[in-house]
Amino acid sequence: MSEEVHKNHRERMRKRLLENGLENFADHEVLELLLYYAIPRGDVNPLAHRLLDEFGSLAGVLEASPADLRRIKGVGDNVAALLTILPPLFQRYQLSKIQEKKYDCTEKLAEYLVSYYIDKPREQVSIVLLDNSCRILRVCEIGQGSASCVQIDTRKLLQCVLQYNAASVVLAHNHPRGDCRASRADILQTSSTRELLKKVSVELVDHIIVAEDKWLSLASGGQWTY
């Protein structure tokens, strides 16, 4: 196809986006729109398909490392930088939206965490750092989890709590393909985390487990050991 045909195709795609949003775009078309801003001219449709074929899904493309992206024919530094910045940019956007809200009850925190974990395909342990007014200061990843237990990097946990001067903490992890039931190891890990935070005068107020759109609060569910 000629350069003029590619230009017209891009203009039609942008017009469609501005008039109707992303709802009716296929994943390869979403990637095409993104690639326009890294590759100013030419047909990016084949590259969009190669990326999806290699990484399996739009989420897989956006979660790929710069090194893995560069292995794909047609991906240079501009494309790798654009694609890898999007997930952390979205997290910053989400954090900016929530920082003025008060998360002073379990339901509000759980609702936020369901949204937070919705794009996380692997088990991940996080802490929600709250100030004295129950506003979210930061959400920090502190380790990996599994269906049977959570594995916490205690050094990173304390570093985050002290760096952002948190008044209280909510521990959270997800079961992407499981259920919300807490294991004995989860309960024991909760107890040890609470004792660790006490040493720096910070309260652990809950441990919330998320499984897709469901959640379990250990503090509210009678699984809070002292």
Side-chain angles (χ1 to χ4, degrees), residues 156-170:
K156 188 171 183 181
L157 183 154
L158 289 175
Q159 180 183 359
C160 291
V161 168
L162 296 174
Q163 178 180 353
Y164 295 105
N165 196 27
S168 59
V169 170
V170 174

Side-chain angles (χ1 to χ4, degrees), residues 78-144:
N78 286 348
V79 171
L82 175 67
L83 295 178
T84 53
I85 199 176
L86 291 174
L89 177 63
F90 180 71
Q91 288 183 8
R92 288 286 188 94
Y93 163 71
Q94 290 291 85
L95 184 61
S96 178
K97 283 180 65 176
I98 65 174
Q99 281 180 325
E100 293 306 311
K101 294 181 180 179
K102 286 190 175 184
Y103 288 80
D104 52 1
C105 70
T106 301
E107 288 73 18
K108 289 180 183 179
L109 282 163
E111 182 181 353
Y112 166 70
L113 285 166
V114 167
S115 174
Y116 176 80
Y117 280 117
I118 197 167
D119 63 342
K120 307 292 190 295
R122 292 178 288 275
E123 291 84 357
Q124 177 182 302
V125 188
S126 306
I127 47 171
V128 183
L129 307 177
L130 302 170
D131 66 13
N132 285 316
S133 299
C134 294
R135 292 187 176 93
I136 294 178
L137 296 166
R138 202 79 175 179
V139 181
C140 300
E141 298 177 19
I142 58 163
Q144 300 299 311

Side-chain angles (χ1 to χ4, degrees), residues 14-206:
R14 290 192 184 102
K15 181 179 179 182
R16 181 178 155 201
L17 169 68
L18 293 173
E19 291 179 353
N20 302 305
L22 275 179
E23 184 177 353
N24 295 315
F25 277 75
D27 284 355
H28 75 274
E29 293 175 316
V30 173
L31 275 177
E32 280 190 69
L33 284 168
L34 290 171
L35 292 170
Y36 292 163
Y37 296 96
I39 302 175
R41 290 178 295 277
D43 184 9
V44 297
N45 178 277
L47 176 55
H49 281 286
R50 283 199 296 275
L51 286 164
L52 288 171
D53 289 344
E54 175 67 23
F55 299 109
S57 66
L58 181 59
V61 173
L62 297 181
E63 291 168 1
S65 70
D68 287 339
L69 288 168
R70 289 193 195 96
R71 294 191 185 102
I72 307 303
K73 180 182 177 183
V75 174
D77 287 344
N78 286 348
V79 171
L82 175 67
L83 295 178
T84 53
I85 199 176
L86 291 174
L89 177 63
F90 180 71
Q91 288 183 8
R92 288 286 188 94
Y93 163 71
Q94 290 291 85
L95 184 61
S96 178
K97 283 180 65 176
I98 65 174
Q99 281 180 325
E100 293 306 311
K101 294 181 180 179
K102 286 190 175 184
Y103 288 80
D104 52 1
C105 70
T106 301
E107 288 73 18
K108 289 180 183 179
L109 282 163
E111 182 181 353
Y112 166 70
L113 285 166
V114 167
S115 174
Y116 176 80
Y117 280 117
I118 197 167
D119 63 342
K120 307 292 190 295
R122 292 178 288 275
E123 291 84 357
Q124 177 182 302
V125 188
S126 306
I127 47 171
V128 183
L129 307 177
L130 302 170
D131 66 13
N132 285 316
S133 299
C134 294
R135 292 187 176 93
I136 294 178
L137 296 166
R138 202 79 175 179
V139 181
C140 300
E141 298 177 19
I142 58 163
Q144 300 299 311
S146 69
S148 60
C149 66
V150 293
Q151 298 295 329
I152 292 175
D153 183 337
T154 55
R155 183 188 296 257
K156 188 171 183 181
L157 183 154
L158 289 175
Q159 180 183 359
C160 291
V161 168
L162 296 174
Q163 178 180 353
Y164 295 105
N165 196 27
S168 59
V169 170
V170 174
L171 181 64
H173 76 283
N174 62 328
H175 294 165
R177 291 168 295 278
D179 58 38
C180 298
R181 285 178 292 182
S183 68
R184 180 63 180 165
D186 288 338
I187 296 168
L188 293 174
Q189 182 68 76
T190 303
S191 181
S192 64
T193 302
R194 183 172 54 247
E195 293 304 313
L196 178 65
L197 290 172
K198 279 182 181 179
K199 294 178 181 179
V200 291
S201 301
V202 174
E203 181 185 7
L204 180 67
V205 295
D206 207 341

